[in-house]
Amino acid sequence: MLEAQARRRQQRSGLLLALPAIIWLGLFFLLPLGIVGVFSFLTREAAGIVSLPFTLEHYERTFGVFSVVLWRSVWISVVSTVICLLIGYPLAFFIATRQNNWVRQLCLFMVVLPFWTNFLVRTYAWRILLGDQGTINAILQGLGLIDAPLTLLNTPFAVILGLVYGFLPFMVLPIYASVDRFDFKYVDAAHDLGANDIKAFFRVVLPMTLPGVFAGSALVFIPCVGAFVTPDLLGGTQGLMIGNLISRQFGQSLNLPLGSALSVTMMLIVMVALLAYVRLGNRRLGG
Amino acid sequence: MTPDVELRQVVKEFSAAGKSKRAGYQVRAVDNVNLQIAQGEFFAMLGPSGCGKTTTLRMIAGFETPTSGEIYIRGKAVHDIPPFHRPVNTVFQDYALFPHMTVIQNVMFGLRMEGVPRQEAQRRAEEALDMVKLSHAAARRPNQLSGGQQQRVALARALVKRPSVLLLDEPLGALDLKLRKEMQAELKTMQQRVGITFIFVTHDQEEAMSMANRIAVMHEGHVLQVGTARDIYERPVNRFVADFIGETNFFVGNLVEKRDKVGVVKLADGATFEASLPLDASSVSEGKVTVALRPERIGIFPPGEEDDMPREVPLNVLEGVLYEMDYIGTDTRYTVEIAGTTLVVREQNVDYEDNYDFRLGQTVKIFFPAVSATILQE
Ligand SMILES: Nc1ncnc2c1ncn2[C@@H]1O[C@H](COP(=O)(O)OP(=O)(O)OP(=O)(O)O)[C@@H](O)[C@H]1O
Ligand SMILES: [Mg+2]
């Protein structure tokens, strides 16, 4: 009786505290999301104008002509996330295990240092490096390793490079936090029970730092799927991604329903991918 | 027979780099330790915080490499053997159970690492859990267990590997008194049953004495004395050991004569008494010495009651002034001053009535046999 009352009171005061956040989310997230959802089923009347009747036409186009782009967005994002993980985990692990506090702080500072320059500028810089007359080709030709310039720019490869470069810190920081919190007595225990370094890592360290891996992967994968600056500047037509399509529908073409359908699809892809990932990760490593 | 575990002149130094600006500053956590631990022995390492107990254990387990000296397990030098290949398992101070695994998975872990097939590992893990009476908790996670249950899982996880030697680092430190007592008894029985050598670290002297066959008393990285509980209690080698184990009185006097097993000690006021020489009699020489004397080994009586003194053994009798008397239930504590030294005497209250009528400030006589007093090494 009393307990139930107390719990209810607690819930009420909790609700009160969360109220500003709830209003904010409702107004600027859920409402627009609802609008986008509804728009995606409406008919395009004219540029920027929608009307009834409901139609599935935009989803048909999304999964029809645009399926190539959808598929490319997914695989580019997956590859970028995996590369970020493969680079980011060892890096975060290295930083978190430095004894000297000063060294740790310095390393972390260097990881976030690129953020001090505008993302657009940094991505443009890659154009200069990767172009046919760019730095990389110039060096390779200068060394006599290649005769004709390699096509680096305007390829999925360039997009992946740009995405990894841009989002790597989002992978490193959460993993760093996880490894930093990890108590190495568990490694001693694993060694004690007969696990060598590799087994101790995969059976004990990795499972216990999975929250960081999941957080980092989500933080990289989500912006990758939605990326449009990087593929725009580095991908050309070969590296076009769903983000570019969406920005075009809401920009030049003003095809709001199609843009909405693409957006909804993108969100679904992200949600399904992350759920599957967490499921799989927990099953394979969660013991 | 070769000892199960042997330490020869083992030294471990930690450089205090990072903490201290003094470059090259070294901490000697373990200093020239020699130990021989027999197979099937329950061996305790006892000492105050920071004396190097954990470091010694970690070197045996292989988590730390000695700065110098050698460690042998079953006669084999283990210097180059990594922890995961040593026939040694550890019960960690805070258990270090893997939080992401269930209890049974924790216990199976070591077997799986050895390559034992899943079915058999499961069966043996279940047996081990049965032994520690935790079969019902197999599917739980460590954080759903009480401290005592976690301790038992840690024990099962280590024992299931059937190690030659089990290292236990203050395994009962986190438990409350009652559970502690229970687990002490359980551990002891378990050790006798499995016959595995136990090296047990504790800073609780009572725990060490009640459980171990032999005890090593450590202080500031040194092993001061190794012996049975009785050796260490009755014949402490020096002041630290005497003081660390139980309550002790210290006399300072002059050793004027060494006989077979006893020495004659002369106090400042000229009174003499006999006390036992240490086990290693050559370690003390004539001159200034300290004598340890346990409070419960001293008898006390008022003058004029000399007839009540036991006569079976030759006794030392000294005269002093009583200036404090505390009734503490099971015992009465008397504080007596003799030749400038304060001495505590503890008498059991066996009768409802006090045996004698004492008055504070009164001259009293105390008596004790020579075997009860030990001359200490400096
Ligand atoms: N990794 C290390 N680096 C530097 N000094 C250390 C390290 N490990 C232990 N020491 C020092 O070595 C000494 C012995 O430590 P140890 O942990 O062996 O003590 P202990 O007897 O187990 O104490 P406690 O009863 O508190 O657990 C201490 O002075 C400690 O500060
Ligand atoms: Mg310790």
Side-chain angles (χ1 to χ4, degrees):
Chain A
M1 233 340 250
L2 277 176
E3 210 178 317
Q5 256 176 21
R7 197 165 334 118
R8 227 172 300 136
R9 201 162 42 235
Q10 222 166 26
Q11 272 169 0
R12 237 189 342 258
S13 72
L15 206 66
L16 211 64
L17 286 170
L19 204 57
I22 290 171
I23 292 176
W24 177 272
L25 277 178
L27 221 55
F28 298 107
F29 177 67
L30 288 178
L31 189 65
L33 194 66
I35 294 173
V36 167
V38 173
F39 271 27
S40 69
F41 292 104
L42 290 175
T43 310
R44 178 180 191 248
E45 174 100 359
I49 300 179
V50 291
S51 71
L52 286 168
F54 289 117
T55 167
L56 283 175
E57 167 199 358
H58 312 296
Y59 285 99
E60 276 159 20
R61 285 185 73 193
T62 300
F63 290 103
V65 282
F66 293 136
S67 64
V68 183
V69 180
L70 271 187
W71 174 236
R72 186 191 296 136
S73 300
V74 171
W75 79 255
I76 284 184
S77 300
V78 168
V79 170
S80 303
T81 308
V82 169
I83 294 174
C84 276
L85 184 59
L86 292 180
I87 301 173
Y89 197 105
L91 180 60
F93 192 89
F94 172 84
I95 299 173
T97 50
R98 290 313 90 195
Q99 294 295 313
N100 193 323
N101 195 28
W102 226 94
V103 174
R104 270 206 316 269
Q105 298 301 332
L106 187 74
C107 289
L108 282 180
F109 176 71
M110 278 170 15
V111 167
V112 294
L113 196 62
F115 286 144
W116 291 32
T117 319
N118 183 288
F119 184 65
L120 211 59
V121 174
R122 282 186 285 139
T123 309
Y124 258 115
W126 279 110
R127 286 184 68 91
I128 297 168
L129 291 172
L130 296 174
D132 282 0
Q133 269 82 51
T135 318
I136 292 173
N137 274 316
I139 290 174
L140 290 177
Q141 276 176 309
L143 291 172
L145 291 172
I146 50 172
D147 299 327
L150 296 173
T151 317
L152 299 172
L153 201 59
N154 299 333
T155 60
F157 162 77
V159 178
I160 291 171
L161 194 68
L163 291 174
V164 169
Y165 166 75
F167 298 136
L168 186 61
F170 296 130
M171 184 64 87
V172 174
L173 295 178
I175 295 179
Y176 168 82
S178 263
V179 178
D180 194 42
R181 229 177 307 128
F182 177 77
D183 191 335
F184 278 83
K185 73 183 180 193
Y186 295 114
V187 173
D188 281 350
H191 281 159
D192 188 74
L193 294 166
N196 58 24
D197 287 339
I198 293 168
K199 282 181 180 159
F201 177 78
F202 282 104
R203 299 292 306 268
V204 174
V205 182
L206 188 56
M208 287 178 71
T209 49
L210 267 191
V213 172
F214 287 152
S217 302
L219 286 179
V220 171
F221 184 75
I222 295 169
C224 276
V225 174
F228 66 96
V229 172
T230 313
D232 204 36
L233 294 180
L234 304 177
T237 46
Q238 295 282 303
L240 194 76
M241 288 172 73
I242 191 170
N244 304 104
L245 292 184
I246 294 171
S247 97
R248 196 177 297 160
Q249 302 319 316
F250 285 110
Q252 296 141 315
S253 327
L254 278 177
N255 189 342
L256 302 189
L258 181 58
S260 299
L262 286 164
S263 301
V264 170
T265 307
M266 188 184 96
M267 270 179 45
L268 288 176
I269 289 174
V270 167
M271 265 159 55
V272 169
L274 288 180
L275 269 176
Y277 177 56
V278 171
R279 268 272 171 86
L280 193 78
N282 271 335
R283 202 171 48 231
R284 296 301 302 273
L285 293 165
Chain B
M1 205 171 80
T2 48
D4 235 16
V5 178
E6 184 174 5
L7 276 72
R8 279 194 211 149
Q9 292 170 353
V10 170
V11 173
K12 178 66 188 180
E13 285 179 347
F14 290 108
S15 59
K19 282 188 218 158
S20 158
K21 285 199 181 106
R22 283 176 291 168
Y25 176 69
Q26 304 267 299
V27 188
R28 272 210 168 197
V30 172
D31 196 356
N32 199 22
V33 163
N34 293 288
L35 286 177
Q36 295 200 338
I37 298 158
Q39 195 182 328
E41 190 170 17
F42 197 128
F43 190 86
M45 297 210 300
L46 175 65
S49 186
C51 70
K53 305 181 296 285
T54 297
T55 307
T56 309
L57 223 53
R58 287 176 62 81
M59 284 192 289
I60 299 172
F63 304 134
E64 307 277 0
T65 315
T67 308
S68 66
E70 268 296 348
I71 296 174
Y72 300 84
I73 297 175
R74 296 249 157 121
K76 201 165 147 207
V78 291
H79 188 84
D80 296 322
I81 303 179
F84 42 93
H85 286 147
R86 294 192 187 192
V88 167
N89 286 109
T90 308
V91 175
F92 292 88
Q93 181 156 10
D94 50 5
Y95 317 135
L97 298 176
F98 302 125
H100 61 294
M101 298 183 195
T102 62
V103 165
I104 188 95
Q105 284 169 335
N106 263 281
V107 180
M108 280 169 68
F109 185 86
L111 296 173
R112 297 289 290 147
M113 291 300 114
E114 274 176 27
V116 177
R118 180 175 292 277
Q119 300 269 310
E120 194 195 333
Q122 173 119 17
R123 188 182 53 75
R124 278 171 62 184
E126 277 162 6
E127 269 172 29
L129 280 181
D130 213 31
M131 184 176 69
V132 296
K133 303 188 203 81
L134 272 179
S135 311
H136 62 281
R140 286 199 225 160
R141 301 253 164 173
N143 63 5
Q144 297 166 320
L145 300 179
S146 73
Q149 289 172 326
Q150 288 181 26
Q151 200 273 336
R152 295 210 290 252
V153 176
L155 197 64
R157 185 175 74 168
L159 282 177
V160 77
K161 301 253 310 172
R162 299 181 190 146
S164 306
V165 181
L166 187 70
L167 308 175
L168 303 102
D169 192 357
E170 303 202 29
L172 309 179
L175 309 182
D176 63 47
L177 192 68
K178 188 165 171 296
L179 193 56
R180 213 180 151 111
K181 294 277 175 228
E182 270 173 42
M183 288 306 300
Q184 281 176 10
E186 253 179 63
L187 262 182
K188 177 111 183 120
T189 329
M190 188 101 55
Q191 193 264 344
Q192 280 161 355
R193 184 139 49 100
V194 296
I196 290 172
T197 309
F198 273 34
I199 304 181
F200 185 96
V201 160
T202 177
H203 58 244
D204 178 342
Q205 42 127 341
E206 214 177 293
E207 187 166 285
M209 297 220 286
S210 68
M211 298 176 80
N213 301 120
R214 284 193 309 150
I215 300 169
V217 182
M218 287 190 76
H219 179 50
E220 292 182 347
H222 300 275
V223 169
L224 299 180
Q225 186 171 5
V226 181
T228 61
R230 184 175 291 272
D231 285 345
I232 283 172
Y233 190 78
E234 303 285 347
R235 292 285 173 268
V237 294
N238 64 20
R239 200 174 170 127
F240 178 85
V241 176
D243 210 23
F244 191 71
I245 317 276
E247 192 182 9
T248 311
N249 294 300
F250 295 108
F251 272 113
V252 178
N254 259 309
L255 180 60
V256 291
E257 193 188 338
K258 273 169 82 172
R259 294 190 200 138
D260 182 18
K261 279 187 174 166
V262 296
V264 179
V265 178
K266 191 169 184 176
L267 292 176
D269 64 357
T272 60
F273 65 91
E274 287 183 353
S276 305
L277 291 168
L279 294 171
D280 174 16
S282 63
S283 64
V284 293
S285 46
E286 290 173 17
K288 192 172 160 239
V289 289
T290 304
V291 179
L293 181 56
R294 301 284 180 192
E296 74 277 10
R297 296 291 163 78
I298 313 176
I300 183 168
F301 55 93
E305 308 272 2
E306 282 89 343
D307 291 346
D308 283 4
M309 241 168 58
R311 290 172 197 288
E312 304 85 67
V313 282
L315 291 172
N316 296 299
V317 180
L318 297 172
E319 213 172 69
V321 178
L322 176 71
Y323 69 88
E324 235 181 274
M325 204 162 68
D326 300 303
Y327 174 83
I328 52 166
T330 53
D331 301 324
T332 304
R333 289 167 59 96
Y334 303 89
T335 311
V336 180
E337 195 180 305
I338 293 169
T341 321
T342 308
L343 220 67
V344 174
V345 177
R346 216 163 63 206
E347 295 277 88
Q348 265 200 343
N349 299 323
V350 283
D351 285 328
Y352 179 73
E353 300 280 344
D354 262 352
N355 292 346
Y356 302 113
D357 262 340
F358 285 107
R359 275 174 295 108
L360 297 185
Q362 186 182 35
T363 302
V364 291
K365 293 203 167 165
I366 63 159
F367 64 90
F368 54 89
V371 287
S372 290
T374 311
I375 300 170
L376 303 178
Q377 295 167 12
E378 274 317 302

